[in-house]
Amino acid sequence: LAPRDALEGMMATQMAAVHNAAMDCLRRAQSKGQDGQVRDRSFRQATRLAALFARQSETLDRRRGRGPQTLNVGQVTVEAGGQAVVGSVNTTGPARLKRPRFAPADAG
C-alpha cells in the first residue's frame, strides 16, 4: 500500500486488519467438521469484510487522485452544419475506433 502520510498509514493498518479478519473467517468456514450454519455465517462475514476492503481501496485511490475523473463543460458553440452531444457521456475506457475496411482496388 506504501502509505504516503500518517492518514494513509492508518488506512493501510485498517485495511490489513480487515483483510486478516476476512481470511480468518474463510479459514473457519472451511475447517473440517464445521456446522452448516456456522459455515454460512463465516462465509457471509468474509464477504462483508471483502466488500469493506474493496471500499477502503477505492477510498485510498480517490485520496491519491486515482478515482473517477469528471469534466464539466460550461459553454459550447456549434457552428452551422456541426454536431454536438447534449447530456451525460459515460465511458469505461479509451474509445476504440473502427478501422475503415477498404475494398481491394481493381487491377483493370
Side-chain angles (χ1 to χ4, degrees):
L1 295 172
R4 298 178 185 170
D5 56 26
L7 181 59
E8 286 189 11
M10 288 186 284
M11 291 172 71
T13 302
Q14 287 180 357
M15 290 173 72
V18 167
H19 172 75
N20 288 336
M23 295 302 107
D24 188 50
C25 287
L26 290 173
R27 181 193 52 77
R28 276 187 272 129
Q30 294 179 7
S31 58
K32 294 183 180 179
Q34 193 66 263
D35 178 57
Q37 288 180 337
V38 174
R39 172 175 280 166
D40 289 345
R41 195 173 358 172
S42 293
F43 275 130
R44 275 196 308 274
Q45 188 63 35
T47 301
R48 288 183 189 127
L49 288 165
L52 173 59
F53 185 86
R55 288 193 309 272
Q56 289 172 319
S57 296
E58 290 169 1
T59 300
L60 186 59
D61 281 347
R62 276 196 313 273
R63 186 177 193 286
R64 291 179 174 175
R66 292 187 287 200
Q69 297 179 355
T70 304
L71 175 67
N72 293 321
V73 178
Q75 182 176 353
V76 176
T77 303
V78 180
E79 300 293 330
Q83 296 180 345
V85 175
V86 178
S88 296
V89 177
N90 296 317
T91 61
T92 57
R96 293 188 178 174
L97 300 175
K98 290 184 179 178
R99 281 192 161 153
R101 300 182 88 186
F102 296 103
D106 287 344

